[in-house]
Amino acid sequence: MAASSRQRSTIAIIGLGNIGGVAAGCLRAADRQDIIVCVRQPIERLYLERPEGDVEVPLRALTNPADAKPVDWVLLCTKAQQTPSAAPWLARLCNSSTRVAVLQNGISHVERVAPLAGDAVVVPTLVYYNGERLGADRVRLRHVAEHDLVAADDADGRAFAQLLEGTPLRVLLSREFSTLAWRKLLINTVANPITALTLQRQAVFRREDVKALCIAILEEAVAVARADGAQLAEDEAVKTMSTLLTYPPEAGTSMYFDRLAGRALEVEALTGAVVAAGRRLNVATPLNAALLTLLRAVSDAASAG
Ligand SMILES: NC(=O)C1=CN([C@@H]2O[C@H](COP(=O)(O)OP(=O)(O)OC[C@H]3O[C@@H](n4cnc5c(N)ncnc54)[C@H](OP(=O)(O)O)[C@@H]3O)[C@@H](O)[C@H]2O)C=CC1
Ligand SMILES: CC(C)(CO)C(=O)C(=O)O
């Protein structure tokens, strides 16, 4: 084996959906590390549509955790509620030198993943790019913000940013990670439930009545976030709505795609997290609780069907 190929670090991507598909395509196209994808259906090639130019990349896929060996990095790209099902992968891929970057929405990345990652270090990240799996072997990247991912400005977060150098995915490093995690959750508190429940893409946020409802939902979530220590602006709800309105109207959301496909929804890590934190911190969240009931009903019916 050539010296240069021995020095390449190894990355395993668990879950090749909207987010994992884009990450795998971007990293594989940059070709700076050895990449494997941990999937449930075999796949040999992936087409990535992206503003920087479309690429087609070969993939090395594993479908059986027993075939996996420890790697330098794991990118965990499942939905939050699917995390326990990734445990057999994590058990094989992690040792004390492994870092597990969690590319999931929500605010409790470390609590969710650390119990399954053994001695590995869990690196929480916030995902801002919009991914859309267009077919079994095709995925599309949309940049919707100045940065595509956020990591904490510490040694592990900086190592994560280095991993993505040479790809079109831009990583913001922040010393205010927990505030930014709440800011991202605020967007998901409206974007995901409203698109999933109305079965409409983000164009739905251009309606005045929907905007007004979203502001009211956000006011509750902002109060919870502040009680949890997030440093937010006086007019954070309005600002969040303005940010959401800069996203392309034709973009969907991860929950919208799940509803469309009749899959279980990522309810508990998003609206569920707001309602649970509100209960813990004594902040009333009646609108979010109403959304939670509806989302659970939709999700449970999908799981049962
Ligand atoms: N989509 C987006 O634009 C954004 C999504 N996010 C967040 O990113 C995270 C990932 O979302 P997204 O990519 O949309 O989700 P997807 O549902 O598109 O992808 C999840 C993938 O994980 C796979 N998977 C689940 N369990 C396992 C397992 N045990 N072993 C192997 N593969 C598994 C699924 O496989 P299978 O196909 O076989 O079910 C699926 O392909 C979520 O937390 C979401 O909220 C954040 C920002 C934007
Ligand atoms: C911000 C948004 C809506 C971008 O796709 C997202 O996080 C999601 O789809 O889950």
Side-chain angles (χ1 to χ4, degrees):
M1 196 190 291
S4 60
S5 79
R6 271 202 306 272
Q7 285 157 8
R8 282 159 70 95
S9 52
T10 48
I11 305 179
I13 298 173
I14 306 178
L16 203 69
N18 304 308
I19 293 306
V22 167
C26 288
L27 285 162
R28 190 64 192 80
D31 196 21
R32 293 175 57 241
Q33 303 97 355
D34 290 337
I35 317 282
I36 56 166
V37 294
C38 303
V39 288
R40 299 198 271 214
Q41 298 298 326
I43 179 166
E44 290 180 357
R45 308 192 72 75
L46 184 71
Y47 299 83
L48 169 64
E49 297 182 14
R50 53 181 194 179
E52 296 77 14
D54 299 354
V55 282
E56 178 187 350
V57 294
L59 289 179
R60 198 175 144 236
L62 298 182
T63 52
N64 183 353
D67 297 330
K69 295 191 171 52
V71 290
D72 299 313
W73 279 91
V74 174
L75 306 190
L76 179 62
C77 302
T78 66
K79 290 275 165 41
Q81 76 275 11
Q82 296 169 322
T83 303
S85 77
W89 286 115
L90 291 167
R92 301 287 300 194
L93 293 165
C94 293
N95 65 18
S96 57
S97 312
T98 307
R99 290 181 172 114
V100 181
V102 185
L103 279 69
Q104 291 178 339
N105 275 326
I107 49 171
S108 307
H109 306 71
V110 177
E111 292 84 338
R112 196 182 301 137
V113 179
L116 308 176
D119 293 335
V121 173
V122 177
V123 184
T125 78
L126 309 173
V127 183
Y128 274 86
Y129 63 87
N130 185 274
E132 184 172 351
R133 180 96 181 245
L134 300 165
D137 61 354
R138 186 174 285 269
V139 68
R140 177 192 292 147
L141 162 65
R142 287 188 181 94
H143 302 284
V144 301
E146 279 170 24
H147 44 266
D148 297 297
L149 293 136
V150 178
D153 191 3
D154 57 21
D156 297 316
R158 287 191 285 274
F160 176 72
Q162 274 171 16
L163 203 67
L164 291 169
E165 277 172 10
T167 77
L169 299 176
R170 304 148 302 183
V171 182
L172 173 74
L173 294 170
S174 172
R175 290 180 188 279
E176 313 294 333
F177 186 84
S178 47
T179 287
L180 292 194
W182 264 111
R183 281 223 168 94
K184 179 71 212 293
L185 181 56
L186 291 177
I187 290 176
N188 295 120
T189 300
V190 284
N192 297 37
I194 300 293
T195 54
L197 290 172
T198 60
L199 271 177
Q200 293 183 47
R201 291 184 179 239
Q202 295 189 32
V204 72
F205 298 113
R206 272 66 180 171
R207 289 178 59 107
E208 291 306 320
D209 52 356
V210 171
K211 269 187 226 171
L213 174 62
C214 288
I215 297 283
I217 294 166
L218 283 166
E219 295 287 8
E220 285 181 11
V222 165
V224 175
R226 278 207 190 97
D228 199 38
Q231 302 296 307
L232 301 177
E234 197 61 43
D235 58 346
E236 191 73 33
V238 173
K239 278 205 166 104
T240 305
M241 204 54 215
S242 308
T243 302
L244 184 54
L245 288 167
T246 65
Y247 295 175
E250 67 278 13
T253 68
S254 50
M255 192 178 276
Y256 165 84
F257 294 122
D258 282 339
R259 171 92 204 271
L260 214 56
R263 293 188 290 252
L265 306 181
E266 197 175 35
V267 182
E268 303 305 330
L270 305 181
T271 302
V274 173
V275 173
R279 199 166 294 137
R280 177 169 52 83
L281 299 162
N282 238 344
V283 178
T285 58
L287 288 173
N288 284 279
L291 287 177
L292 183 58
T293 300
L294 296 175
L295 293 167
R296 280 180 177 158
V298 170
S299 186
D300 289 351
S303 303

